Every structure is written in structure tokens, then in C-alpha cells.
Amino acid sequence: MNSVTAHDYAWIRNSPLFDHMLDGGYTVTLIQRRSPHEVLRAVEAEPRGTGEGAAGLAEADDAHRAEGGYDYGDDSFIAGAFNTHGLDGDWTVVLGFDGGLGLPRVEKLSEGGRVVVHSSNGGKPIHLFDWYEEGELRTSFEGPSARHGSSPDELVPLLREVGFPLTPEGEHDENAPDTDRFDGKAAVLALAERLTGVRVTESFLRDATYELGLVPEQPAEEWTSVVIDITDAHGERLYKEWTYEEVAAASERARAEANAPVVITYDEPFVITDDEPSVITGLPAVDRSERGAGE
């Protein structure tokens, strides 16, 4: 049984490659039972030859950005894929210095197998983890105590085993020692290995021969719902989902109320008394529909 924990990935703290990945943003995608060629074709990547090692992948991505005039509004990127052995057979590993954008169609790629993804957007940063099984997002999180997916709590025992500071119920453990980005990322790498059987080392990513492909910018998808999923410091969770239709109806009601004329009725005269000059009775409001009529 694989008993890897975050401790086994402590090397990332002193890794120039991983430091670069965290600072600039990256995505690592592990796909079961798919070849590198099949994966790149499925995401409609334009073939770009091969790259020797992570340095070759980075050079190809830099050349692509230079071709586009370093347009940072362009979300296309060069992905590098190679084959390795893991749990129950072959896996394809895809690395992209993509700012955390990730590969499209990963749910589709997980049909008939498993896909595990971890990423960082650099900058802020945001660190994400996703586990797909048989075309379904099973567990996804940024922070491990705020999980979602079709089975968000299934991995809780495993999350605790690899080193995430969680209680048995899956809430944040307030008594656990403080952690930094390297601690959290080491736990993510250990979790990914538990789910895939693929051990990632410095040389594993640094020295691989990558099949390269230009992943095109993806069209904006029409949204169907808005979800608020927040867990506060006390472990209280707020989860609310609104469909597109509900949001549109609420917006229409708000516009109608804002544009409706204001009807003013009052029976008392407008009086300021001498004894209590601060008391105003019968003060009329302004009818928006009549504003400016006497001007």
C-alpha cells in the first residue's frame, strides 16, 4: 500500500523548478489510460514537436508568447505531455506553465479512467486540486476544508493521512501547526500520488522528453448558475446556488422597482415648530416622475 505523505515531497521547498512553477503559475494533469498524443489531440492542441526537459518546454512556451507579442490577454499556451507508469497501468503527465489555466475537457478525458489535476495561478496565489473519475468531478478544493464535487468528503481520511490539517469530520483543525504554501503543495503532491501511483520528483519533470502542443484559447462558456460556498473560521458553511433564470428574474425585478414612479401622499402640512425647530412634520418626499417639472 502506498503510504506517501507530505514529508516525502519536502524537496519542493529547495527546488528551483518548483519555485518557478509556483511563482509563475502551472498546471500538472495526470490522465489514466490515455497516451500523450491522444490527450493533446483531445484538447485540440496544435503539434509543436518535442521539448527536451522542462527547460525545453519553457523555451517553447516563451517562443509562443513572443510570436503573439506577449499579449497577456491571450490564454493559449504550450503544454508538454509524456508517458509514465502508475496505478493500474500507463498514465500521461501533462505540464503547462500556463498560469493555472489548465487543460480543457478534463471531464471527458476521465471517461473510462481517472484524472487528477493540481495547479497554481502564481501571483495571489490560488492553489487548486481536482479529482475526476469516469467523467465526473468527484472532489475539488482550493482549501481542503472547503470541498465540493459529487463526493466531497470521500477523500477526508486520505487528506488527513497525507498531511492536511483536518479534523476527522473534514473541518480545519485549529490546533494544527501553521503551514505555508510549500507545506500545502507537498500534501497535494502526496495526495496526487496516492490517487495515481505516479511519484513526482525534481528529475521526473526536469528531464522528461515532452510531446508539445499549442492549446488554443478557449471560448467563454455561457454560465448556467452562480454558487456561493463559504466556510467561516468557526466551521459554519454557507452553500447557495442560483440558476441563471433566478438571477435574471431578480435583476428584472430590481430594474422594474428602480424605474417605477414614486407616489407621494401626505395629509399633514409641512411645519417646523418654533418650540422644537429640529422637529419636522409632514415632510414630503420627492416624486421622481415630477423631478425637474418646475425647473
Side-chain angles (χ1 to χ4, degrees), residues 274-286:
D274 293 334
D275 295 334
E276 298 181 75
S278 63
V279 177
I280 301 177
T281 61
L283 180 63
V286 178

Side-chain angles (χ1 to χ4, degrees), residues 148-191:
H148 65 277
S150 64
S151 55
D153 297 333
E154 185 175 348
L155 295 182
V156 168
L158 196 53
L159 290 167
R160 299 182 72 233
E161 285 181 25
V162 299
F164 285 105
L166 297 178
T167 66
E169 295 73 31
E171 305 296 340
H172 178 70
D173 185 353
E174 299 292 343
N175 298 317
D178 292 336
T179 59
D180 61 18
R181 66 174 185 168
F182 292 104
D183 297 318
K185 190 58 70 174
V188 160
L189 285 162
L191 177 62

Side-chain angles (χ1 to χ4, degrees), residues 52 70 133 144 243 251:
E52 290 303 319
Y70 295 99
E133 194 88 17
T243 65
S251 298

Side-chain angles (χ1 to χ4, degrees), residues 16-188:
L17 173 58
F18 225 87
D19 193 55
H20 170 74
M21 291 165 62
L22 289 176
D23 285 343
Y26 80 92
T27 303
V28 169
T29 309
L30 302 108
I31 305 110
Q32 187 180 35
R33 302 191 185 109
R34 307 270 186 173
S35 70
H37 179 72
E38 184 181 1
V39 169
L40 294 176
R41 184 177 59 189
V43 301
E44 299 182 351
E46 175 188 318
R48 289 295 180 98
T50 59
E52 290 303 319
L57 170 59
E59 288 171 6
D61 195 55
D62 288 343
H64 163 63
R65 296 185 189 284
E67 289 171 5
Y70 295 99
D71 178 7
Y72 291 99
D74 178 7
D75 288 337
S76 60
F77 64 93
I78 299 291
F82 64 95
N83 181 262
T84 191
H85 187 75
L87 186 66
D88 295 330
D90 288 339
W91 289 70
T92 286
V93 180
V94 184
L95 173 61
F97 301 119
D98 59 357
L101 292 169
L103 290 176
R105 303 179 182 88
V106 286
E107 281 186 285
K108 185 72 174 176
L109 285 168
S110 73
E111 292 179 356
R114 175 177 290 181
V115 172
V116 173
V117 187
H118 56 88
S119 64
S120 172
N121 72 338
K124 183 185 175 183
I126 296 172
H127 303 288
L128 301 177
F129 175 88
D130 299 301
W131 163 40
Y132 296 86
E133 194 88 17
E134 297 291 348
E136 180 180 64
L137 178 60
R138 299 286 289 274
T139 302
S140 178
F141 61 81
E142 179 181 354
S145 61
R147 305 167 301 278
H148 65 277
S150 64
S151 55
D153 297 333
E154 185 175 348
L155 295 182
V156 168
L158 196 53
L159 290 167
R160 299 182 72 233
E161 285 181 25
V162 299
F164 285 105
L166 297 178
T167 66
E169 295 73 31
E171 305 296 340
H172 178 70
D173 185 353
E174 299 292 343
N175 298 317
D178 292 336
T179 59
D180 61 18
R181 66 174 185 168
F182 292 104
D183 297 318
K185 190 58 70 174
V188 160

